[in-house]
Amino acid sequence: MLERTACGKIILFGEHAVVYGRPALAAPLSQIRARARVAARATKGVLIRALDLQREFEADAATDEPLAALARLTLAKLNASANLVLEIESAIPPASGLGSGAAVATAAARALAAYFGTEFTPAETAALVYETEKLYHGTPSGIDNTVIAYEQALCFTRKTPPQPNMIAPFRLARPFTLIIADTGVASPTKLAVGAVRRGWLENPARYEALFDEIAVLVAQAQDALARGEIDKVGALMTRNQRALEQLDVSSREIETLLKAGLRAGAWGGKLSGGGRGGNVIFAVAPRDAAQIERALWDAGARRVQTTEVTRDRPNF
Ligand code: PMV
């Protein structure tokens, strides 16, 4: 069976504000991946098997399934029709801010293209997946599908069409250690994004001011990352978290993990992604990582992993 994969992602700074045109910084999680496999079958059409969900459906019949839409859009782009099975498997926990929906769709688009002997550019993949992100999220900024398709740390700014979104690699003086702790609370991004939208509609001035505050933190974080001042990056994360709290997308579980990580010596931390559950990230000194990990497990984290945000080769 032919297989292609796609990475997960984290948002380092700027989630939610990015939906409203402010810049955000995101990085790939290359160790945690979604996989898609394609094989021919005798029956007509495309059968999608979502192995983790123990579900299967026909791409032509399941009109409201994002993956079915992705398969139809991808085949239309390839100008192809085929009888095949598309199997999906993912190590990225769903609804936890790590981009699982976009990763699964990216892996599927790549596997389908490979089946027809071709390969999409990262920009083509990002555009295809954005269409399915709309089904998952309602009003996605486009950051998830972009960082996953390029698999590179980048600064993303949403623009209003016909202007293209701005994407640029951000400068990182040196790799840094990041701990990711899962609250275990599944929280669909669509709901968190919808809640922020309602708040913004009710009180636009307050929300715009918070988005501006986050944009300033993103700019300061870019400076700190470019200088390799990771302790400062951590402190800025905690300030970004305070703004997210005011947007009402934090939660008791997030705050509990945050407090435990900070007390154990993390330079700073914040929720990552939609919030109201999902994952909390921490910038830490490598020598402190083990004790912080232990503290997070003790505070009730369902999964804790240490990773490195690296300076890698630009992909565009
Ligand atoms: O929860 P995730 O991993 O899908 O991240 C969403 C990031 C938001 O800024 C909250 C929404 C968006 O579309 O940018």
Side-chain angles (χ1 to χ4, degrees), residues 251-276:
S251 71
R252 191 169 45 82
E253 292 83 359
I254 290 171
E255 295 299 332
T256 301
L257 292 187
L258 199 61
K259 208 180 283 173
L262 294 179
R263 201 176 287 154
W267 277 320
K270 60 183 274 296
L271 67 84
S272 182
R276 297 199 160 178

Side-chain angles (χ1 to χ4, degrees), residues 207-231:
Y207 276 66
E208 287 292 331
L210 285 168
F211 298 149
D212 284 341
E213 191 182 315
I214 291 173
V216 170
L217 297 174
V218 169
Q220 291 173 346
Q222 275 185 283
D223 280 350
L225 289 162
R227 292 204 193 98
E229 297 169 347
I230 308 306
D231 52 341

Side-chain angles (χ1 to χ4, degrees), residues 6-7 28-30 33 110 146-153 312 315:
C7 62
L29 278 179
S30 294
R33 306 190 76 84
R110 285 177 176 158
T146 303
V147 67
I148 289 170
Y150 286 89
E151 198 159 340
Q152 197 205 340
D312 47 11
N315 204 4

Side-chain angles (χ1 to χ4, degrees), residues 9 11 15-16 18-19 97-99 137 139-144 189 193 273-274:
K9 71 101 218 326
I11 297 184
E15 51 275 269
H16 288 293
V18 70
V19 176
L98 300 184
H137 288 191
T139 54
S141 63
I143 191 170
D144 279 21
T189 305
V193 169

